[in-house]
Amino acid sequence: MVRRFGWSTPLVALLALVALVGVACGGDEDGSTGGSADNDGRALVVALTSEPSNLSPVFLDVNAGNWKIFSGLVAFDQDLQLVPDLAAEMPEYSEDGRTVTVRLRQDVTFHDGEPLTSEDVVFTWNAILDTDVATPIRERLALDGLIEGVRAVDEFTVEFTLSRMDPAFMERLYTGIVPAHLLEGEDLNSTSFNREPVGTGPYRFASWVAGDRLVFEAYEDYYGGAPAIKRVVFTFVPDENARAALMGNGEIDFTRMSPRLAENFEANEDVRVVQVPSASMYQLTLPNKHPAISDVRVRQALSMAVNREEMAATLIGPLGQPAYGPFREGHWAYDDSGHVDYDPQGARDLLAEAGWTESDSQGFLLKDGERLTFTILYLASNAEDQEFALALASDFQEIGVDARVEVGSNPGYQDRLDADAFFHGVGMPYDPEYVMRARFHSDYADVAANPAGMANPDVDAALDASRATLDPEERREAFIDLQRALLEDGSYLIIAERPTVVLVSADIEGLVPQMAGSPHAFVRGLSWNLEDWSWK
Amino acid sequence: MIAVVGRRLLALPLILFAVALLVFLLAWASPYDPAEAYVQGAAAGDALTPELREQFERAWGLEDPMPVQFLSWLGRLVQGDLGESRYLSGAPVVDALKDRAYPSLVLLGSALGVVLVGALLAGVAAAAFRDSPLDWLIRTSAYAATFVPSFWVALLAVFVFAVQLDWLPAAGASNLRSVDGGRVEFRHLLLPMLTLALTQHGWFTLYVRDTLLEVLRDDYVRFAEAQGVGRVAVLFRHALPNALIPFVTLIGTHIPELIGGSILIESVFGWPGLGNLTRQAAIAVDIPLLLAIVLVGAVLVVLGNLIADLLYRVIDPRIRESMR
Amino acid sequence: MPAIEARALSVGFRTERGVVQALSDASFAIERGETLVVIGESGSGKTVLAHALMRLLPRNVTLAGEVDLEGQPLLALPEDEMRRVRGRRMALIPQGAGSALNPVRRVGGLMLEMARVRGLGQGEAREALDGSLRELGLSFQQVAERYPHQLSGGMQQRVVNAMAMVGEPSVVIADEPTHGMDPELVDTTAEQLGMIARRGAALLVITHDLRLAERLGGRTALIYSSYIVELRDTAAFFSQPEHPYGRALLGALPEHGGVAIPGVSPELTQLPRACAFAPRCPARFEPCDEAVPPMFPLPGGGEARCYLHA
Ligand SMILES: Nc1ncnc2c1ncn2[C@@H]1O[C@H](COP(=O)(O)OP(=O)(O)OP(=O)(O)O)[C@@H](O)[C@H]1O
Ligand SMILES: [Mg+2]
């Protein structure tokens, strides 16, 4: 008689089988983790913080760069000066500033071998201007109906017609050019091109396994010469500790890291810790609609109460730098006289002048029996933000202001910006006309771009003056006026530079950091000249 | 048996419809706004002007009232079309799911296997050595595993095994340098699988222990003991099979939790699966993608329960009999 | 030397309601080939007695007294050795055959497994099982492939009985072995139990069936609220019980007038330090409420726990 134990035996077998599914799927393992003597053909592995969803420049902010798959008519050099790229030479404004003519290089081919012509440039720009295309960059590139038309003069000449003179227009030509012959008649919102792009840049798209990795290959016929690193693999790891682990194990070559975690790599010989000069600043937004804060003396007092130097040193570390205005040192429009002394006593005096003369049993200032109180909101996505918010609140409490700290929900926090202060990091290195107007002009006081709701005539005047001239010196002066007006106004307290730190394999040669914007996934400020990199 | 399967499968479309409607309503009532999320994700620092919002909503077909959107989505679904993902810039949702299904199924399947085997071993050991330090240890760790947040365990696992000990890779499903992607390697699977299993085994282990202890009080166990059957045989051949019958149903009902747990685990380990995609779709408020993922999840849950139910019927002779 | 002997055996269960005193001061001995019938109302402690003899008690138990199996003290035996005693030297026919058979196991496999524990080979075990099943009107073939729930109550009982009879245990304890059987089957079962005794085993039969008890002969132990209150020759007991409870019990039978005993039996958590039956006893007098009566020897042999016999 067969021994029978019912079904228990098959069940156990089934469980064991399920458990072994993983083993069965395990691939062969060559365990190569880099650091090998032979770097020929070694792939550059980049861990991004998040996966891109679309690589087409029609949808991409200038800040994100062109992913090295595309090139624009112009490019930025290391000092963020514009240089010709697809353009044969630097384009110039017409006399009245309303026409820009671009002559194209004639030796450029797309990755599918088709030559680049003026049709492609016209197609790209018309796509961006097409309101049926859901691109977030239209508003920025063609602010207030700036671009009236784009037309091909001949096969290699393009003419842009503007509705008004705009000193920052030239920079917008950085936008990558897409091939008309592949996209004509396609619905740009959903074309597969967005995820399998073809451009003219130094790298060509190879493959993309969603959620896993995105692979580029060197484009051997690149007009600037074939890149030395032949293969770039992007992987997507949101967790910083996981990225640090990958870097420590030599599994990746390039990733962004918080300054604090990056410090652990200082002693690691295989890894370089590179600080990318960042145009992003930590900023506290003071709500102009708050009854007490609407008084400029109160905002000034708050500014004087902030110990910026100490915060930068203790909260960021050795890489920390205090900041006072939205421009970074080294930027052509930076005002080196902008400074606020840390002066708690002066702040108290100023508050007294503003009528905050009494105080309650807990030492908080009173006016008409009411405390000077507000909440500092921050978003949980950045760990440093909370520490800054707490440090700010404690500095404010020091001078008798009852400041509290609260984590804001996104997007819910936006509804609270009329009454509450908001702490975050913000800023981009490109032409201030691009960035500063929407951030500070009273035209934008009611949208989230100018969350303090600041409406300061001096600020407006400086911004208006900066766009009324093409003369670099006059523009510089206008932006210096802007910085002074901002410091006067105090609606935006700039606290410190927000550093961008990248870990890079020490095997890479050719790194020259460029000033970067708000930290984008691929840290454009470092990868800007990727095609010039090579393995040691 | 066929009737049972038939009835469940007939109910499936109804369940899916209800789930889809719920997702739609939630998305509709949610403060998260696709246009806002899109602008924030794509271009840092940009403001969403009313004109831009209107253009986006037109391009995405979001201008119609909610019921119309739902019906048109439903109409396409009936024809087998899950629509396009906004987050994936117009890629068909089906393709996105196909790419991601394999790594997720490997992770979920192997983690479930580890959970079951582990919970059986630990649960039986705890019951067999009831009130001993071993039992205490197993119970405490099972409770802990249930209540400690799984992302925390995942971070700890990364820190210990990838950073400190450097035994296992910290992220991804295959070697980044030498493999083209789309594959799952065992070395990469280990850490996420074990972490997921560790954070999910708690209820199972406790359940095995408690039902076993209950079954051990049953008359047939006492009878077996009275007949002089050995301790091990009593445990494995007499008590365990009976304790496992309800356990099989438990597997079915815990599939949603397993899937939920995998979202966090996949995100921490950069696992190229559906869990990670869920997070991305949620951040981008990509309704078509979210809907599709939720539907896949619902189908998995219904199928899981169905299989558990059928298995239950097959392994319990008392029910099997009544089905003949 | 008796096959099995209990001395002052007491069993209590620690529960949330307090200690349930399920068996108190039970002393008796059964010789080889002898039969002891245990009767008593439901909940009086009969099954607990059976389980205590085999040490099949749950964790919340407190056990006092002694049990000797063929002169070997059982209560001090390590669990491993006790395991070897069960089945081989002492067999149990449990109460409730339906729940004693593992619901997910086929009857054949179950029977063989248990028979083989007693050291029988596969073939031997099969033969022995088939033999005892046939005596009860079944065959191994007939039940082997079935699950317990596919058997009738009477068939289940016979399967369980047959399992206990395999091998040659020196003590067989049968707890309600005729449950769910029609009169003919009761006869065969009684016959079979008689066989066991004749083969030389000590037999302890717990039953509610007084006719079966009479038929089995031997001696009878009557239990009331955890106490053995009368222990006598079966025939003598049924013709003239000596303990007032025994008298009341037989008097309650329909053929003797069917006069129900007034009152209820005490809660086992609150047993008085006195005669447990006193509150319901027609013959109650002073000593009854002062201390628990010991077993007093009866003139015609046997014992009774009653001050009337002091
Ligand atoms: N494990 C236990 N824990 C607590 N109390 C118990 C336990 N087992 C039995 N008892 C109690 O002990 C008493 C005697 O139970 P037992 O099963 O011996 O009765 P019985 O005489 O066999 O009754 P029946 O004729 O109904 O089978 C009952 O009051 C019962 O509730
Ligand atoms: Mg009983």
Side-chain angles (χ1 to χ4, degrees), chain C residues 13 15 17 20 22 40-49 58 60 95 175-176 208 268:
Chain C
F13 298 105
T15 68
R17 295 175 292 125
V20 177
E41 65 179 347
S42 181
S44 54
K46 305 184 293 295
T47 300
V48 168
L49 168 63
N60 61 337
Q95 183 173 19
D175 196 349
E176 308 274 5
H208 280 278
L268 294 185

Side-chain angles (χ1 to χ4, degrees), chain A residues 3 5 7-8 11 14-16 18-19 21-23 25-34 42-43 45 51-54 59 61 63 131-140 189-191 194-195 207-213 215 231 233 235-239 241-242 245-246 249-253 410-411 413-414 428 447 449 518, chain B residues 31-32 36 38-40 42-47 49 51-52 55-56 58-60 84 87-91 99-100 102 106 109-110 112-114 116-117 120 155 158 162-163 166 168-171 173-189 237 241 244-245 267-268 270-272 276 279-280 311 315 317 320:
Chain A
R3 282 169 68 109
F5 299 114
W7 45 271
S8 55
L11 182 78
L14 178 80
L15 295 184
V18 177
V21 166
V23 185
C25 314
D28 46 337
E29 187 57 54
D30 67 4
S32 73
T33 48
R42 171 172 166 187
V45 182
E51 185 172 9
S53 65
N54 187 330
F59 296 90
D61 180 23
N63 192 43
T131 53
D132 284 340
V133 177
T135 171
I137 64 173
R138 173 162 53 245
E139 201 63 13
R140 172 171 299 170
N189 292 316
S190 61
T191 174
N194 293 337
R195 296 177 69 81
S207 68
W208 191 350
V209 177
D212 192 4
R213 69 199 62 180
V215 182
R231 198 175 144 88
V233 178
T235 183
F236 325 108
V237 187
D239 180 56
N241 295 289
L246 289 169
N249 299 355
E251 286 173 84
I252 57 173
D253 303 308
N410 194 0
Y413 80 96
Q414 292 179 355
M428 276 176 278
V447 290
S518 63
Chain B
Y32 291 83
E36 198 86 54
Y38 179 53
V39 169
Q40 278 194 2
D46 258 319
T49 60
E51 301 87 68
L52 211 51
Q55 290 162 12
F56 289 173
R58 182 153 39 82
W60 296 335
E84 286 93 36
Y87 163 68
L88 298 171
S89 47
D99 282 352
R100 308 286 191 114
Y102 169 67
V106 172
S110 57
L112 184 63
V114 172
L116 296 186
V117 172
L120 278 181
L155 291 181
V158 167
V163 181
D166 191 9
L168 293 167
S174 57
N175 189 311
L176 289 165
R177 281 182 208 285
S178 61
V179 177
D180 254 345
R183 289 178 48 187
V184 175
E185 287 177 7
F186 186 58
R187 220 168 68 88
H188 286 254
L189 175 65
R237 292 221 296 255
L244 283 186
I245 291 174
S267 298
V268 171
W271 193 256
N276 215 338
R279 182 183 55 87
Q280 293 171 318
L311 212 57
I315 61 178
R320 194 192 320 156

Side-chain angles (χ1 to χ4, degrees), chain A residues 293-527:
Chain A
I293 293 175
S294 64
D295 185 334
V296 66
R297 287 170 298 188
V298 171
R299 300 200 297 269
Q300 284 299 342
L302 292 174
S303 182
M304 290 157 72
V306 178
N307 192 345
R308 292 174 172 82
E309 310 239 343
E310 191 185 290
M311 276 187 210
T314 55
L315 300 186
I316 303 173
L319 299 174
Q321 280 294 329
Y324 302 90
F327 291 85
R328 180 180 209 287
E329 185 165 5
H331 191 282
W332 56 265
Y334 174 69
D335 171 26
D336 58 8
S337 69
H339 190 85
V340 182
D341 286 325
Y342 171 57
D343 182 4
Q345 189 48 51
R348 280 176 175 277
D349 295 345
L350 206 52
L351 286 176
E353 201 179 296
W356 298 91
T357 44
E358 278 148 43
S359 50
D360 63 14
S361 56
Q362 288 170 271
F364 288 117
L365 291 174
L366 298 175
K367 181 165 148 183
D368 306 331
E370 300 269 353
R371 270 191 197 178
L372 174 37
T373 179
F374 61 91
T375 298
I376 302 174
L377 292 175
Y378 67 94
L379 297 182
S381 41
N382 267 309
E384 306 95 48
D385 287 10
Q386 181 190 28
E387 295 177 14
F388 271 100
L390 288 169
L392 284 166
S394 119
D395 277 0
F396 294 152
Q397 284 156 12
E398 208 54 24
I399 59 163
V401 173
D402 180 13
R404 294 134 195 243
V405 171
E406 196 181 313
V407 59
S409 66
N410 194 0
Y413 80 96
Q414 292 179 355
D415 300 333
R416 298 179 50 181
L417 295 179
D418 279 351
D420 298 323
F422 177 52
F423 182 85
H424 71 317
V426 63
M428 276 176 278
Y430 309 110
D431 198 300
E433 171 61 23
Y434 243 37
V435 188
M436 302 295 173
R437 190 170 188 83
R439 254 173 89 185
F440 301 126
H441 200 280
S442 61
D443 286 356
Y444 296 85
D446 291 328
V447 290
N450 176 357
M454 174 177 69
N456 181 316
D458 294 342
V459 170
D460 286 0
L463 284 167
D464 292 343
S466 75
R467 83 180 349 197
T469 173
L470 293 176
D471 179 58
E473 190 46 35
E474 285 175 31
R475 295 188 70 212
R476 198 180 78 83
E477 278 165 17
F479 284 121
I480 286 178
D481 289 345
L482 170 70
Q483 288 165 78
R484 293 188 176 151
L486 284 172
L487 215 52
E488 279 295 297
D489 185 273
S491 292
Y492 292 97
L493 303 187
I494 313 287
I495 310 295
E497 289 175 13
R498 185 185 183 198
T500 301
V501 177
V502 181
L503 302 180
V504 201
S505 161
D507 294 342
I508 296 172
E509 269 175 344
L511 294 182
V512 260
Q514 184 193 51
M515 191 192 292
S518 63
H520 169 257
F522 189 22
V523 197
R524 205 174 90 70
L526 196 56
S527 65

Side-chain angles (χ1 to χ4, degrees), chain B residues 130-131 219-220 222-231 233-234 237-239 241-242 245 315-318 320-321 324, chain C residues 51 54 56 58-59 83 86-87 90 92 94 99-106 110 113-114 117-118 147 149-150 160 163:
Chain B
R130 181 183 181 175
D131 291 342
D219 284 349
Y220 50 81
R222 193 180 350 225
F223 180 52
E225 280 177 342
Q227 300 302 307
V229 175
R231 192 177 150 79
V234 164
R237 292 221 296 255
H238 294 263
N242 283 284
I245 291 174
I315 61 178
D316 189 333
R318 286 160 295 187
R320 194 192 320 156
E321 169 73 4
R324 287 231 173 95
Chain C
H51 288 167
M54 296 193 72
L56 288 171
R59 296 154 52 89
R83 214 172 274 283
R86 295 190 199 115
M90 293 173 87
L92 175 71
S99 59
L101 293 171
N102 196 326
V104 303
R105 300 276 305 272
R106 282 176 212 270
L110 202 58
E113 182 189 350
M114 294 183 178
V117 168
R118 294 172 202 173
Y147 284 98
H149 72 276
Q150 294 167 323
V160 169
M163 282 158 93

Side-chain angles (χ1 to χ4, degrees), chain C residues 28-30 34-38 49 53 172 174 202-206 216-222 228 230-232 234:
Chain C
F28 58 86
I30 313 173
E34 198 202 352
T35 302
L36 178 68
V37 180
V38 178
L49 168 63
L53 294 178
V172 173
L203 180 65
L204 190 151
V205 182
I206 297 168
L216 289 170
R219 285 179 303 151
T220 289
L222 172 66
I228 295 182
E230 187 162 347
L231 179 59
R232 271 174 86 201
T234 301

